[in-house]
Each structure stands twice: as C-alpha cells, then as structure tokens.
Amino acid sequence: MADELVLYTNPMSRGRIARWMLEETGVSYRTERLEYGTTMKAAAYLAVNPMGKVPAIRHGEVVVTEAAAICAYLADAFPEAGLAPPSGARGDFYRWLFFAAGPVEAAVSNRFLGLEVPEDKEAMMGYGTYAAVLDTLEKAVSGDGYVAGERFSAADVYVGSHIGWGLQMGSIEKRPAFSEYWSRLAGREAYRRAGELDDALLAERGASGGGPA
C-alpha cells in the first residue's frame, strides 16, 4: 500500500506495543510524538482519537486506536509480513489477542492498584479473579511455541508486551512459563529495534530540557 502510515505515540506509553508491531511488519512509517496533557489533548489529535490517548495509527484515511486493534489491523494490512495465521485458522490468534486486551488488562491493572474484587462479586467481573486469569495465561504461553501456534504472530506482540511489562513492574507473578516466553520474544530483532527507537525518542526529549512525558 502506498498510503502514508503514521504512528502517534509517546515513548512512555503503550505506544511501544504499536512501535514493536510496526517494526515487525518492516514497512515505512512516520512517528508523531505527543505529550501528556498538552498535544495529546489538543484539538488536532482529538480529531484522530477523541480519548486523547496513545497509541493510534493513521494509514491513509484509516485511523485505528487501541493497541490490540492496531496489532490486528497491521497484520491484515501487511499480510506479506506473516504476522497472522490464515483467515480460517485464527481462533487462537483472536482468542489470546483479546484475552490480553480484556481479562488480562483489567485483572492486572486492578491488582496493581490494590483493588480486590469481593468474592461475592467475582461473577460480575469479566475476568473473574486475578488468579484465574494468570493460570489461563500461563497455559497459553507454556511450551516452545507461541500463543497462536508454532509461528510468531501479532498476538505475541500484544500478549508478550503485557507479560514483559508485568514482569518488570511486578504486576504479573514471575512464573517460569512467563519468563521463558518473554525471553524468547525479547530476543527478536524487531523488538530490540523498536526499543532503541523509543529510547532515543525519550532521550531526545530529556536532552531538550522538557518536562516529563
């Protein structure tokens, strides 16, 4: 596709997930850095994402927000990168991509904030319990393969990002299966390249004398 591809991001955000996914595709894109509380809430960006949050991408006239949706979109937009299974074999791909976007995100965030769901209200929560979520996630990433089969996919970018961040921040228990899975992903060239780009963007901001991102 010849349409311009733009990443709206901040190096201290989930924009790192979208950056990693873009690097996995190998396509050219332009980066627009936004700042919390200022350009992220300005009218120009609110026209892209009314939530005033990053990441978002614009691909020609198509705008996609939410990191999981960005991963799924890019896998479809650039099939030559091989980041999604064939259309008839995407059950696990969609299952685990959105399991991470829903139950994992909610359960881990609540746990990190010290919010415990009363036992008699667990049935009301989409994720049930933190323990159930982690047990399910552990089974999904155990073994030598990936969450959607034997090949790496966009689902691993998103699921892996949650696990890697959770292990770093202490919001996900350091179970062997999580550490081994993340170790395989963190060795990918696209992941290292994406990290270097975001770290450089972060350093550039610091060198300019600006405030926190």
Side-chain angles (χ1 to χ4, degrees):
M1 296 184 182
D3 292 331
E4 182 185 39
L5 183 54
V6 182
L7 168 65
Y8 300 92
T9 190
N10 182 287
M12 295 180 66
S13 76
R14 289 174 177 80
R16 285 183 176 254
I17 302 175
R19 169 89 71 186
W20 179 12
M21 182 62 193
L22 283 162
E23 291 298 317
E24 290 284 356
T25 67
V27 300
S28 298
Y29 62 95
R30 179 168 60 84
T31 301
E32 286 200 15
R33 174 175 177 149
L34 300 168
E35 304 301 335
Y36 290 101
T38 56
T39 50
M40 217 177 281
K41 300 298 184 182
Y45 184 61
L46 291 177
V48 175
N49 184 359
M51 287 288 288
K53 299 179 69 176
V54 292
I57 61 168
R58 179 169 55 78
H59 186 205
E61 298 301 314
V62 177
V63 171
V64 186
T65 66
E66 313 312 317
I70 290 170
C71 288
Y73 174 84
L74 290 173
D76 278 340
F78 302 101
E80 63 276 10
L83 293 167
S87 59
R90 293 191 181 181
D92 283 343
F93 177 79
Y94 289 127
R95 177 187 182 183
W96 299 116
L97 183 64
F98 295 109
F99 178 75
V104 173
E105 171 87 18
V108 170
S109 295
N110 283 347
R111 180 80 167 201
F112 190 69
L113 294 173
L115 302 176
E116 294 292 340
V117 179
E119 188 173 347
D120 63 340
K121 298 294 191 295
E122 289 173 357
M124 298 176 59
M125 304 301 294
Y127 64 82
T129 67
Y130 172 82
V133 167
L134 258 61
D135 288 346
T136 303
L137 184 62
E138 181 179 21
K139 291 177 182 177
V141 301
S142 293
D144 297 328
Y146 298 97
V147 294
E150 294 303 312
R151 292 185 58 185
F152 176 88
S153 73
D156 293 294
V157 172
Y158 192 73
V159 173
S161 293
H162 276 278
I163 289 176
W165 176 255
L167 291 174
Q168 179 183 350
M169 297 300 295
S171 56
I172 285 182
E173 296 171 3
K174 292 185 177 180
R175 302 183 183 184
F178 296 150
S179 298
E180 291 166 11
Y181 173 69
W182 176 240
S183 181
R184 294 201 303 278
L185 301 188
R188 294 184 64 82
E189 179 58 34
Y191 173 74
R192 291 196 297 265
R193 189 166 59 245
E196 289 170 359
L197 289 168
D198 276 321
D199 290 345
L201 198 62
L202 189 61
E204 178 183 300
R205 173 62 172 167
S208 72

CSV table of all heavy atoms in Angstrom, one decimal, residues 6-40:
chain,number,residue,atom,x,y,z
A,6,VAL,N,1.3,6.6,9.8
A,6,VAL,CA,1.7,7.5,10.9
A,6,VAL,C,1.5,6.8,12.2
A,6,VAL,O,0.4,6.3,12.4
A,6,VAL,CB,1.0,8.8,10.8
A,6,VAL,CG1,1.6,9.8,11.9
A,6,VAL,CG2,1.2,9.5,9.5
A,7,LEU,N,2.5,6.8,13.1
A,7,LEU,CA,2.3,6.4,14.4
A,7,LEU,C,2.2,7.6,15.4
A,7,LEU,O,3.2,8.4,15.4
A,7,LEU,CB,3.5,5.5,14.8
A,7,LEU,CG,3.6,5.1,16.3
A,7,LEU,CD1,2.4,4.3,16.8
A,7,LEU,CD2,4.9,4.4,16.6
A,8,TYR,N,1.2,7.7,16.1
A,8,TYR,CA,1.0,8.7,17.2
A,8,TYR,C,1.4,8.0,18.5
A,8,TYR,O,0.7,7.0,18.9
A,8,TYR,CB,-0.4,9.2,17.2
A,8,TYR,CG,-0.8,9.9,15.9
A,8,TYR,CD1,-1.5,9.1,14.9
A,8,TYR,CD2,-0.6,11.2,15.6
A,8,TYR,CE1,-1.9,9.7,13.8
A,8,TYR,CE2,-1.0,11.8,14.4
A,8,TYR,CZ,-1.7,11.0,13.5
A,8,TYR,OH,-2.1,11.6,12.3
A,9,THR,N,2.4,8.6,19.2
A,9,THR,CA,2.9,7.8,20.3
A,9,THR,C,3.5,8.7,21.3
A,9,THR,O,3.7,9.9,21.1
A,9,THR,CB,3.9,6.7,19.9
A,9,THR,OG1,4.2,5.9,21.0
A,9,THR,CG2,5.1,7.3,19.3
A,10,ASN,N,3.9,8.1,22.4
A,10,ASN,CA,4.8,8.7,23.4
A,10,ASN,C,5.7,7.5,23.9
A,10,ASN,O,5.1,6.5,24.1
A,10,ASN,CB,4.0,9.3,24.6
A,10,ASN,CG,5.0,10.0,25.6
A,10,ASN,OD1,5.6,9.3,26.4
A,10,ASN,ND2,5.0,11.3,25.6
A,11,PRO,N,7.0,7.7,24.1
A,11,PRO,CA,7.8,6.6,24.5
A,11,PRO,C,7.5,6.0,25.9
A,11,PRO,O,8.0,5.0,26.2
A,11,PRO,CB,9.2,7.2,24.4
A,11,PRO,CG,9.1,8.6,24.5
A,11,PRO,CD,7.8,8.9,23.9
A,12,MET,N,6.7,6.7,26.7
A,12,MET,CA,6.4,6.2,28.0
A,12,MET,C,4.9,5.9,27.9
A,12,MET,O,4.1,6.4,28.7
A,12,MET,CB,6.7,7.2,29.1
A,12,MET,CG,8.1,7.5,29.2
A,12,MET,SD,8.5,8.7,30.5
A,12,MET,CE,7.9,7.8,32.0
A,13,SER,N,4.5,5.0,27.0
A,13,SER,CA,3.1,4.6,26.9
A,13,SER,C,3.0,3.3,26.2
A,13,SER,O,4.0,2.6,25.8
A,13,SER,CB,2.4,5.7,26.0
A,13,SER,OG,2.8,5.5,24.6
A,14,ARG,N,1.8,2.8,26.0
A,14,ARG,CA,1.5,1.6,25.2
A,14,ARG,C,1.9,1.8,23.8
A,14,ARG,O,1.8,0.8,23.0
A,14,ARG,CB,0.0,1.2,25.4
A,14,ARG,CG,-0.3,0.7,26.8
A,14,ARG,CD,-1.8,0.4,26.9
A,14,ARG,NE,-2.2,-0.1,28.2
A,14,ARG,CZ,-2.3,0.6,29.3
A,14,ARG,NH1,-2.1,1.9,29.3
A,14,ARG,NH2,-2.7,0.0,30.4
A,15,GLY,N,2.3,3.0,23.4
A,15,GLY,CA,2.7,3.2,22.0
A,15,GLY,C,3.9,2.3,21.7
A,15,GLY,O,4.2,2.0,20.5
A,16,ARG,N,4.6,1.8,22.7
A,16,ARG,CA,5.7,0.9,22.5
A,16,ARG,C,5.2,-0.4,21.9
A,16,ARG,O,6.0,-1.1,21.1
A,16,ARG,CB,6.5,0.6,23.8
A,16,ARG,CG,7.4,1.8,24.2
A,16,ARG,CD,8.2,1.5,25.4
A,16,ARG,NE,9.1,2.6,25.7
A,16,ARG,CZ,10.4,2.6,25.6
A,16,ARG,NH1,11.0,1.5,25.1
A,16,ARG,NH2,11.2,3.7,25.9
A,17,ILE,N,4.0,-0.8,22.2
A,17,ILE,CA,3.5,-2.0,21.6
A,17,ILE,C,3.3,-1.8,20.1
A,17,ILE,O,3.6,-2.6,19.3
A,17,ILE,CB,2.1,-2.4,22.3
A,17,ILE,CG1,2.3,-2.6,23.8
A,17,ILE,CG2,1.5,-3.6,21.6
A,17,ILE,CD1,1.0,-2.8,24.5
A,18,ALA,N,2.7,-0.7,19.8
A,18,ALA,CA,2.4,-0.4,18.3
A,18,ALA,C,3.7,-0.2,17.6
A,18,ALA,O,3.8,-0.7,16.4
A,18,ALA,CB,1.6,0.9,18.2
A,19,ARG,N,4.7,0.4,18.2
A,19,ARG,CA,6.0,0.5,17.6
A,19,ARG,C,6.6,-0.8,17.3
A,19,ARG,O,7.1,-1.1,16.2
A,19,ARG,CB,7.0,1.3,18.5
A,19,ARG,CG,8.4,1.3,18.0
A,19,ARG,CD,8.7,2.4,17.1
A,19,ARG,NE,8.8,3.7,17.9
A,19,ARG,CZ,8.9,4.9,17.2
A,19,ARG,NH1,9.0,4.9,15.9
A,19,ARG,NH2,8.9,6.0,17.9
A,20,TRP,N,6.6,-1.7,18.2
A,20,TRP,CA,7.1,-3.1,18.0
A,20,TRP,C,6.4,-3.8,16.9
A,20,TRP,O,7.0,-4.3,16.0
A,20,TRP,CB,7.0,-3.9,19.3
A,20,TRP,CG,7.5,-5.3,19.2
A,20,TRP,CD1,8.2,-5.9,18.2
A,20,TRP,CD2,7.2,-6.3,20.2
A,20,TRP,NE1,8.5,-7.2,18.5
A,20,TRP,CE2,7.9,-7.5,19.7
A,20,TRP,CE3,6.5,-6.4,21.4
A,20,TRP,CZ2,7.8,-8.7,20.4
A,20,TRP,CZ3,6.5,-7.6,22.1
A,20,TRP,CH2,7.1,-8.7,21.6
A,21,MET,N,5.1,-3.6,16.8
A,21,MET,CA,4.3,-4.3,15.8
A,21,MET,C,4.7,-3.7,14.4
A,21,MET,O,4.9,-4.4,13.4
A,21,MET,CB,2.8,-4.1,16.0
A,21,MET,CG,1.9,-4.7,15.0
A,21,MET,SD,2.1,-6.5,14.9
A,21,MET,CE,1.2,-6.9,13.4
A,22,LEU,N,4.9,-2.4,14.3
A,22,LEU,CA,5.3,-1.7,13.1
A,22,LEU,C,6.6,-2.2,12.6
A,22,LEU,O,6.9,-2.5,11.5
A,22,LEU,CB,5.3,-0.2,13.3
A,22,LEU,CG,3.9,0.5,13.2
A,22,LEU,CD1,4.0,1.8,13.8
A,22,LEU,CD2,3.4,0.5,11.8
A,23,GLU,N,7.5,-2.4,13.6
A,23,GLU,CA,8.9,-2.9,13.2
A,23,GLU,C,8.8,-4.3,12.7
A,23,GLU,O,9.6,-4.7,11.9
A,23,GLU,CB,9.8,-2.7,14.4
A,23,GLU,CG,10.2,-1.3,14.8
A,23,GLU,CD,10.9,-0.6,13.6
A,23,GLU,OE1,11.8,-1.2,13.0
A,23,GLU,OE2,10.6,0.6,13.3
A,24,GLU,N,7.9,-5.1,13.3
A,24,GLU,CA,7.7,-6.5,12.8
A,24,GLU,C,7.2,-6.5,11.4
A,24,GLU,O,7.6,-7.4,10.6
A,24,GLU,CB,6.8,-7.2,13.7
A,24,GLU,CG,7.3,-7.6,15.1
A,24,GLU,CD,8.3,-8.7,15.1
A,24,GLU,OE1,8.6,-9.3,14.1
A,24,GLU,OE2,8.9,-9.0,16.2
A,25,THR,N,6.4,-5.5,11.0
A,25,THR,CA,5.9,-5.5,9.6
A,25,THR,C,7.0,-5.2,8.6
A,25,THR,O,7.0,-5.6,7.4
A,25,THR,CB,4.8,-4.5,9.4
A,25,THR,OG1,5.2,-3.2,9.6
A,25,THR,CG2,3.6,-4.8,10.4
A,26,GLY,N,8.0,-4.4,9.0
A,26,GLY,CA,9.0,-4.0,8.1
A,26,GLY,C,8.7,-2.8,7.2
A,26,GLY,O,9.4,-2.5,6.3
A,27,VAL,N,7.5,-2.2,7.4
A,27,VAL,CA,7.1,-1.2,6.5
A,27,VAL,C,7.5,0.2,7.0
A,27,VAL,O,7.9,0.3,8.2
A,27,VAL,CB,5.5,-1.2,6.3
A,27,VAL,CG1,5.0,-2.5,5.8
A,27,VAL,CG2,4.8,-0.8,7.6
A,28,SER,N,7.6,1.2,6.1
A,28,SER,CA,8.0,2.5,6.5
A,28,SER,C,6.8,3.3,7.1
A,28,SER,O,5.7,3.1,6.7
A,28,SER,CB,8.4,3.3,5.2
A,28,SER,OG,9.6,2.7,4.6
A,29,TYR,N,7.1,4.1,8.1
A,29,TYR,CA,6.1,4.9,8.8
A,29,TYR,C,6.7,6.1,9.4
A,29,TYR,O,8.0,6.2,9.5
A,29,TYR,CB,5.4,4.0,9.9
A,29,TYR,CG,6.3,3.6,11.0
A,29,TYR,CD1,6.5,4.4,12.2
A,29,TYR,CD2,7.1,2.4,10.9
A,29,TYR,CE1,7.3,3.9,13.2
A,29,TYR,CE2,7.9,2.0,11.9
A,29,TYR,CZ,8.0,2.8,13.1
A,29,TYR,OH,8.9,2.4,14.1
A,30,ARG,N,5.9,7.1,9.7
A,30,ARG,CA,6.4,8.3,10.3
A,30,ARG,C,5.9,8.4,11.7
A,30,ARG,O,4.8,7.9,12.0
A,30,ARG,CB,5.8,9.5,9.5
A,30,ARG,CG,6.2,10.9,10.1
A,30,ARG,CD,5.9,12.0,9.1
A,30,ARG,NE,4.5,12.0,8.7
A,30,ARG,CZ,3.5,12.7,9.4
A,30,ARG,NH1,3.9,13.3,10.6
A,30,ARG,NH2,2.3,12.7,9.1
A,31,THR,N,6.7,8.9,12.6
A,31,THR,CA,6.3,9.0,14.0
A,31,THR,C,5.9,10.4,14.4
A,31,THR,O,6.6,11.4,14.1
A,31,THR,CB,7.5,8.5,14.9
A,31,THR,OG1,7.8,7.2,14.6
A,31,THR,CG2,7.1,8.6,16.4
A,32,GLU,N,4.8,10.6,15.1
A,32,GLU,CA,4.4,11.9,15.7
A,32,GLU,C,4.4,11.7,17.2
A,32,GLU,O,3.5,10.9,17.7
A,32,GLU,CB,3.1,12.4,15.2
A,32,GLU,CG,3.2,12.9,13.7
A,32,GLU,CD,2.0,13.8,13.4
A,32,GLU,OE1,1.3,14.3,14.3
A,32,GLU,OE2,1.9,14.1,12.2
A,33,ARG,N,5.3,12.3,17.9
A,33,ARG,CA,5.3,12.2,19.4
A,33,ARG,C,4.3,13.2,20.0
A,33,ARG,O,4.3,14.4,19.6
A,33,ARG,CB,6.7,12.5,19.9
A,33,ARG,CG,6.7,12.6,21.4
A,33,ARG,CD,8.1,12.7,22.0
A,33,ARG,NE,8.0,12.8,23.4
A,33,ARG,CZ,8.9,12.4,24.3
A,33,ARG,NH1,10.0,11.9,23.8
A,33,ARG,NH2,8.7,12.5,25.6
A,34,LEU,N,3.5,12.8,20.9
A,34,LEU,CA,2.6,13.6,21.6
A,34,LEU,C,2.9,13.6,23.1
A,34,LEU,O,3.4,12.7,23.6
A,34,LEU,CB,1.2,13.1,21.4
A,34,LEU,CG,0.7,13.1,19.9
A,34,LEU,CD1,-0.6,12.3,19.8
A,34,LEU,CD2,0.5,14.5,19.4
A,35,GLU,N,2.6,14.7,23.8
A,35,GLU,CA,2.9,14.9,25.2
A,35,GLU,C,1.6,14.8,26.0
A,35,GLU,O,0.5,15.3,25.6
A,35,GLU,CB,3.6,16.2,25.4
A,35,GLU,CG,4.9,16.4,24.6
A,35,GLU,CD,5.9,15.4,24.9
A,35,GLU,OE1,5.9,14.7,26.0
A,35,GLU,OE2,6.7,15.1,24.0
A,36,TYR,N,1.7,14.2,27.2
A,36,TYR,CA,0.6,14.1,28.1
A,36,TYR,C,0.1,15.5,28.5
A,36,TYR,O,0.9,16.3,28.9
A,36,TYR,CB,0.9,13.3,29.3
A,36,TYR,CG,1.2,11.8,29.0
A,36,TYR,CD1,2.4,11.3,28.8
A,36,TYR,CD2,0.1,10.9,28.8
A,36,TYR,CE1,2.6,9.9,28.5
A,36,TYR,CE2,0.2,9.6,28.5
A,36,TYR,CZ,1.5,9.1,28.4
A,36,TYR,OH,1.7,7.8,28.1
A,37,GLY,N,-1.2,15.7,28.5
A,37,GLY,CA,-1.8,16.9,29.0
A,37,GLY,C,-1.7,18.1,28.1
A,37,GLY,O,-2.4,19.1,28.3
A,38,THR,N,-1.0,18.0,27.0
A,38,THR,CA,-0.8,19.1,26.0
A,38,THR,C,-1.3,18.7,24.6
A,38,THR,O,-2.4,18.7,24.3
A,38,THR,CB,0.6,19.7,26.1
A,38,THR,OG1,1.5,18.7,25.7
A,38,THR,CG2,0.9,20.3,27.4
A,39,THR,N,-0.3,18.3,23.8
A,39,THR,CA,-0.6,17.9,22.4
A,39,THR,C,-1.5,16.7,22.4
A,39,THR,O,-2.3,16.5,21.4
A,39,THR,CB,0.7,17.7,21.6
A,39,THR,OG1,1.5,16.8,22.4
A,39,THR,CG2,1.4,19.0,21.4
A,40,MET,N,-1.5,15.8,23.4
A,40,MET,CA,-2.3,14.7,23.4
A,40,MET,C,-3.8,15.1,23.6
A,40,MET,O,-4.7,14.3,23.2
A,40,MET,CB,-1.9,13.7,24.5
A,40,MET,CG,-2.0,12.2,24.1
A,40,MET,SD,-1.4,11.1,25.4
A,40,MET,CE,0.4,11.2,25.2
